[in-house]
Amino acid sequence: MNMARASIYASVATAAKLLAGLVIIKLVAWMAGPEGVGRLGQFMSLMSVLAVLAGGGISAGVVKYVAEYRDDPQKLSRLLAAALWYALCASCLIGAGGLLLSREIAGWLLGDVRYQSLIAVLAAVQLGIALVNYILAVINGFMDVKRLACIQVLGSLLSIALALCLSRWLHLYGALLALVVGQLLVLAVGLPAWWRSPYFNRRMLRMRFDREMTLRLAAFSVMTLTSALLPPLVNIAVRDHLAAHFGWEHVGYWQAVGKVSDAYLLFLTTAINVYYLPKLASTHARESLVAELRLAYRYVMPAVVLLAAAVYLCRGWVTSLLFSDGFAAANALYAPQLIGDVVKIASFVLSYVMLAKAMTGWFVASEIVFAISYVALVFLFTGRFGLVGAMYAFAVNYVLYLVFNVIVVRRYLGEL
């Protein structure tokens, strides 16, 4: 599977996933306006955190080691048994904690304890989400991109149908509930698709504690949890800051631009994750690594520049289509956000070297430092420039992150 073909499959899957997400956003924007979209962002941040915690944050580790061990049945069996055990324990702990604290989470995050039952449902489905993460990681590790894309497309289409039905019945609550239950629909599609794969073995469903494999997965767990947990938590802090200084309506404008950014970048980040993580994990020679990085920039950078330019030129139409005419004030926020997007993708290509090569210390340190610097820059720039200062902070922070990644990767390649 070459990068071009993997990118096509990943793009189709991403388009379906994107459509499902935009249907939810459009429904919320129509039913609750900018304020509702702002609160939707809070709930989606919580979902993002719990989706990773559900399996202990080991998906990237499973992808890496499946890619390395797929020709060694004994090691592969040990790895997958340990991964399933790890994921089960983590999901049970997180689910129990979410159920016990559902009322407090609803009041703190959504500002309304009436959403307690929604938080409880999200906590209750953690085991199912963990199994989804496990299945998709195994398929990705075998670089079965076509099967992975089919599962994601069918799951997204079912999620859209569910969102339309539940929002018609339960209105805003139904749209948010569809986000939660929709994740389980991927399991309904993914499990039989996995069973029919040529590499499936019933031993992949066995659970067993294995100290060596658990420690290897734990290193990836630390990295993945850091990168997955910090952005949603940072965004919650930024939203609270913006809401306190500018009001929830302006948070909705900021959130709208961020969602458009996330939507089009998803095509690129998905392709990078699906193809490059297993590819870099199984590549060890210096010349091969350099060739893969050059290939990535040759494909990815022109694509992100063209996409960012297209979004900027069509920003008024895009905002009106995805949200409503009431979001017109968000159009002034696009330019610095899109510049930051280009730099973000440039840095992501390099940052995957740290993840694929298990450079735990550097990776975790960088995530923490640049999360703190982003929040600090938001506080500084919004005080000076207003709401658009949050976009300036985003762009400047990723310039600094790119410089850091260039230094780390050059040092790693120099030691090979």
Side-chain angles (χ1 to χ4, degrees):
M1 177 71 68
N2 58 34
M3 183 183 180
R5 185 175 296 179
S7 298
I8 292 172
Y9 286 128
S11 296
V12 173
T14 300
K17 184 178 179 180
L18 180 58
L19 179 61
L22 293 179
V23 166
I24 298 291
I25 293 175
K26 184 69 175 180
L27 288 170
V28 173
W30 176 64
M31 289 183 287
E35 181 176 343
V37 173
R39 295 188 185 278
L40 170 67
Q42 295 287 71
F43 183 67
M44 292 181 76
S45 290
L46 175 64
M47 284 187 59
S48 177
V49 170
L50 291 184
V52 175
L53 286 175
I58 59 172
S59 292
V62 173
V63 172
K64 169 185 167 58
Y65 289 117
V66 168
E68 285 192 15
Y69 299 155
R70 57 188 173 188
D71 296 323
D72 187 336
Q74 184 179 1
K75 283 190 175 181
L76 182 63
S77 179
R78 289 175 55 200
L79 166 74
L80 295 180
L84 202 54
W85 176 88
Y86 197 117
L88 175 66
C89 293
S91 60
C92 288
L93 287 173
I94 297 302
L99 287 171
L100 291 173
L101 299 174
S102 58
R103 183 178 180 85
E104 289 76 8
I105 293 173
W108 166 64
L109 200 62
L110 301 176
D112 193 338
V113 295
R114 290 178 298 176
Y115 289 100
Q116 177 185 359
S117 60
L118 187 66
I119 303 299
V121 172
L122 179 58
V125 301
Q126 290 304 292
L127 183 58
I129 296 173
L131 187 54
V132 169
N133 291 344
Y134 172 80
I135 292 171
L136 296 182
V138 172
I139 294 173
N140 193 3
F142 278 99
M143 296 193 75
D144 190 354
V145 182
K146 183 178 180 179
R147 190 180 305 273
L148 186 65
C150 289
I151 293 170
Q152 292 173 329
V153 168
L154 290 175
S156 296
L157 293 178
L158 290 174
S159 297
I160 292 172
L162 180 67
L164 293 173
C165 292
L166 289 181
S167 62
R168 184 177 182 181
W169 178 31
L170 299 172
H171 306 291
L172 178 60
Y173 184 93
L176 296 178
L177 182 62
L179 279 172
V180 179
V181 180
Q183 296 182 79
L184 294 182
L185 296 179
V186 179
L187 180 61
V189 176
L191 199 55
W194 183 40
W195 285 343
R196 290 178 173 85
S197 68
Y199 45 82
F200 174 75
N201 190 303
R202 291 187 181 276
R203 287 179 297 179
M204 292 180 176
L205 293 174
R206 294 177 183 174
M207 290 183 292
R208 183 175 67 252
F209 174 75
D210 185 304
R211 187 175 182 275
E212 180 187 352
M213 293 299 176
T214 299
L215 289 175
R216 292 187 181 187
L217 290 171
F220 266 84
S221 182
V222 171
M223 290 191 289
T224 305
L225 289 174
T226 303
S227 62
L229 294 180
L230 281 178
L233 294 176
V234 165
N235 283 336
I236 288 171
V238 171
R239 285 192 201 97
D240 287 342
H241 170 74
L242 296 179
H245 288 79
F246 306 106
W248 277 104
E249 182 176 348
H250 285 77
V251 174
Y253 301 144
W254 172 80
Q255 184 71 58
V257 174
K259 287 300 174 186
V260 172
S261 176
D262 292 342
Y264 84 89
L265 288 183
L266 193 60
F267 287 94
L268 299 173
T269 55
T270 301
I272 292 171
N273 185 63
V274 168
Y275 180 80
Y276 269 98
L277 181 54
K279 189 68 176 179
L280 293 177
S282 58
T283 302
H284 303 288
R286 183 182 186 279
E287 294 75 13
S288 298
L289 282 172
V290 171
E292 288 295 339
L293 292 172
R294 286 176 176 171
L295 183 65
Y297 279 112
R298 188 183 307 162
Y299 279 101
V300 172
M301 292 314 298
V304 69
V305 170
L306 288 174
L307 287 171
V311 170
Y312 181 76
L313 293 174
C314 301
R315 61 192 183 282
W317 177 79
V318 168
T319 303
S320 178
L321 175 66
L322 299 182
F323 302 97
S324 69
D325 292 335
F327 284 77
N331 292 334
L333 305 177
Y334 275 96
Q337 176 72 30
L338 295 172
I339 292 171
D341 288 345
V342 173
V343 182
K344 175 180 178 178
I345 293 300
S347 64
F348 267 28
V349 172
L350 295 177
S351 71
Y352 265 75
V353 175
M354 289 192 290
L355 189 61
K357 301 305 177 183
M359 299 165 65
T360 307
W362 282 111
F363 189 90
V364 172
S366 67
E367 292 292 317
I368 294 173
V369 168
F370 287 102
I372 294 172
S373 66
Y374 173 54
V375 174
L377 289 170
V378 167
F379 278 56
L380 177 64
F381 288 173
T382 53
R384 184 176 181 86
F385 302 107
L387 182 63
V388 73
M391 276 58 190
Y392 294 156
F394 174 81
V396 170
N397 200 55
Y398 268 109
V399 169
L400 297 174
Y401 186 57
L402 175 60
V403 172
F404 168 80
N405 276 287
V406 169
I407 294 172
V408 170
V409 172
R410 288 188 66 180
R411 177 179 175 180
Y412 174 78
L413 293 174
E415 294 174 350
L416 290 180

